[in-house]
Amino acid sequence: MNDRISPQMHATPDGEAEISLVVRLPWEDVAKLGQEAGRLAAQMQRPVTLDEAVSNRLRSTALGAHAKPAAAQPAAMMPPSASVSSLPARPPAEQARQAIDRINGTA
């Protein structure tokens, strides 16, 4: 487990970054991502992948808000009904710590 390497990061032509990584999820979370993909596909009127659903979900939350200028902040958050997880809201630092613990197998 100590042979971890940093995920590769690439700049995309649209000015964003692309990071490839492997995430281990319970099947229930995969199902919720599938539901999110279904909602996104209906909204976009085309099929979408789970990758697109995850990217859309991350963009629609305030997780990366600290890295954006204040003028780029969205005016409103997604309603709780569109959430992938039904868990109560936790501070981003706590979410990150728990995700790292799960990835490292120490949770």
Side-chain angles (χ1 to χ4, degrees):
M1 288 293 222
N2 293 333
D3 296 335
R4 297 193 190 277
I5 58 171
S6 297
Q8 292 187 356
M9 189 178 317
H10 303 280
T12 60
D14 60 1
E16 295 185 346
E18 180 178 287
I19 302 172
S20 299
L21 56 117
V22 175
V23 180
R24 294 181 62 186
L25 298 171
W27 283 110
E28 294 82 15
D29 291 343
V30 174
K32 290 176 185 176
L33 285 172
Q35 291 173 341
E36 181 78 11
R39 284 190 291 272
L40 185 60
Q43 179 183 358
M44 299 178 78
Q45 298 294 309
R46 66 170 180 83
V48 298
T49 65
L50 288 181
D51 288 348
E52 288 178 285
V54 170
S55 293
N56 183 69
R57 181 70 182 127
L58 289 173
R59 284 187 179 106
S60 65
T61 64
L63 293 178
H66 65 280
K68 296 179 183 176
Q73 297 284 337
M77 296 297 294
M78 288 182 62
S81 63
S83 175
V84 171
S85 175
S86 60
L87 297 174
R90 299 183 314 262
E94 177 66 14
Q95 291 176 358
R97 186 192 61 74
Q98 288 181 352
I100 290 168
D101 286 348
R102 275 188 238 121
I103 291 168
N104 290 334
T106 57

